Amino acid sequence: MALALSAANGRMNPILGSVRCVADGTSLTLTGTDCETAVSVTVEAEVDEAGECLLPPTLAEALKLADGDTISLTAGKTLVVNVGGDLFELPNEDVADFPAPPEVPEP
């Protein structure tokens, strides 16, 4: 929920409506930020190829229409999402344009 709220603040800068997705080894890390705060969550995942992409806000709507338990993402000029055989092609923004999360001071 907090991740969605963080990403929802992208009204001023549209790329902030996206969620950064980093696939590495056996995990997937999702990060949303509004440039003042950031929320990040890491979950176990079956990763065929490490990489990163931005998940657009429209992904949530596409997933509501899909029927399946497994999600496959292929990032290129577009983001191809495969959920149980249902394919969706969504815009893919450049990950380099996504702002770095704010630094947290050491306690």
Side-chain angles (χ1 to χ4, degrees), residues 22-90:
V22 178
D24 186 19
T26 59
S27 67
L28 191 66
T29 300
L30 305 171
T31 303
T33 184
D34 64 3
C35 290
E36 291 181 18
T37 59
V39 177
S40 186
V41 62
T42 300
V43 296
E44 290 183 23
E46 184 178 315
V47 178
D48 292 334
E49 185 177 334
E52 58 186 302
C53 66
L54 294 181
L55 305 177
T58 53
L59 178 62
E61 290 303 315
L63 293 178
K64 288 178 187 176
L65 300 172
D67 183 29
D69 295 332
T70 302
I71 301 171
S72 172
L73 303 172
T74 305
K77 291 187 185 232
T78 60
L79 180 66
V80 179
V81 182
N82 183 341
V83 183
D86 293 328
L87 293 174
F88 301 93
E89 192 169 339
L90 305 171

